[in-house]
Amino acid sequence: MKREKLERQAIDAELAKLQGWSLGDAAKAIKKSYKFANFVEAFGFMTEAALAAEKLDHHPEWFNVYSKVDVTLNTHDAGGLTGLDFKLAALMDKAAARRIGGGSD
């Protein structure tokens, strides 16, 4: 996918398609926190998300403590958000939904 930085109007349109994601870092990143039943579910999510990220060659910034995973997505080489960030966010939501029935906390 092309790594072209999105304008704010396109960012808002893409963000509206996602549930639970918010803008962060002066609109240069999107963020979401996922809450799972336990560490195994959180780690399973991270494993599935890591495989999707590797296929896209686009890797998240994330932080995990037990059953919670905080995710930040942006495209460093574009200096902001690109279509890749939103594609990975949607894939992460699908991976989470298989584990928690909705995708976010």
Side-chain angles (χ1 to χ4, degrees), residues 5-25:
K5 184 177 171 182
L6 298 174
E7 297 295 328
R8 181 59 188 258
Q9 186 174 3
I11 290 169
D12 290 341
E14 290 297 319
L15 194 59
K17 297 175 189 175
L18 299 172
Q19 220 174 39
W21 289 87
S22 62
L23 280 177
D25 192 24

Side-chain angles (χ1 to χ4, degrees), residues 13-54:
E14 290 297 319
L15 194 59
K17 297 175 189 175
L18 299 172
Q19 220 174 39
W21 289 87
S22 62
L23 280 177
D25 192 24
K28 292 183 179 181
I30 54 174
K31 299 178 179 224
K32 184 170 184 175
S33 291
Y34 295 93
K35 178 80 167 110
F36 299 92
N38 54 48
F39 177 73
V40 172
E41 292 296 326
F43 195 84
F45 160 76
M46 292 177 73
T47 301
E48 187 174 342
L51 293 172
E54 188 63 20

